[in-house]
Amino acid sequence: MIVFSQSTYFGLQDVESDAAKAYLEAASSIDDMVFGITSEDSLFTDNKVEKDSVVLFKDFDEKRNDLSEGITAESVTEFVAANQLPLLIEFTQDVSI
């Protein structure tokens, strides 16, 4: 179900909660990332998410980051900024531009 792109964010069991509203607010302000939201229990079970969280699935570094406390639009935006890129990026002619 979850397909890895460079970074994909999913979040929150209770899609009507304040945390979900904050998540959606942050997601709407970030254009270059893929976001999704679900309340499907099987996805939480399959991905070992035990409570409302914003989960970053990625195909580099530790493969996953979780934000499960203090979910606000600001904290989600900061979480995305801190975790969206690999810790090491190969320097090539393509990335130097």
Side-chain angles (χ1 to χ4, degrees), residues 6 16 24 33-34 44 56 60 67 92 97:
Q6 183 165 345
E16 301 297 321
L24 292 171
M33 302 301 297
V34 177
F44 287 86
L56 161 61
F60 53 86
L67 174 65
T92 66
I97 298 174

Side-chain angles (χ1 to χ4, degrees), residues 12-60:
L12 308 163
Q13 290 176 306
D14 180 359
V15 296
E16 301 297 321
S17 69
D18 289 339
K21 292 173 186 168
Y23 170 81
L24 292 171
E25 179 183 336
S28 70
S29 70
I30 302 170
D31 294 330
D32 58 344
M33 302 301 297
V34 177
F35 288 86
I37 191 166
T38 186
S39 60
E40 181 61 45
D41 288 335
S42 65
L43 289 176
F44 287 86
T45 302
D46 292 348
N47 292 289
K48 298 175 180 64
V49 178
E50 296 178 9
K51 60 181 176 178
D52 278 356
S53 300
V54 177
V55 181
L56 161 61
F57 297 98
K58 54 191 181 178
D59 60 358
F60 53 86

Side-chain angles (χ1 to χ4, degrees), residues 58-73:
K58 54 191 181 178
D59 60 358
F60 53 86
D61 295 339
E62 62 274 84
K63 308 292 186 202
R64 171 185 178 144
N65 299 102
D66 294 75
L67 174 65
S68 56
E69 300 289 328
I71 298 172
T72 64

Side-chain angles (χ1 to χ4, degrees), residues 6 85-97:
Q6 183 165 345
L85 297 174
L87 295 174
L88 296 173
I89 299 173
E90 180 181 359
F91 185 79
T92 66
Q93 188 68 26
D94 294 335
V95 298
S96 67
I97 298 174

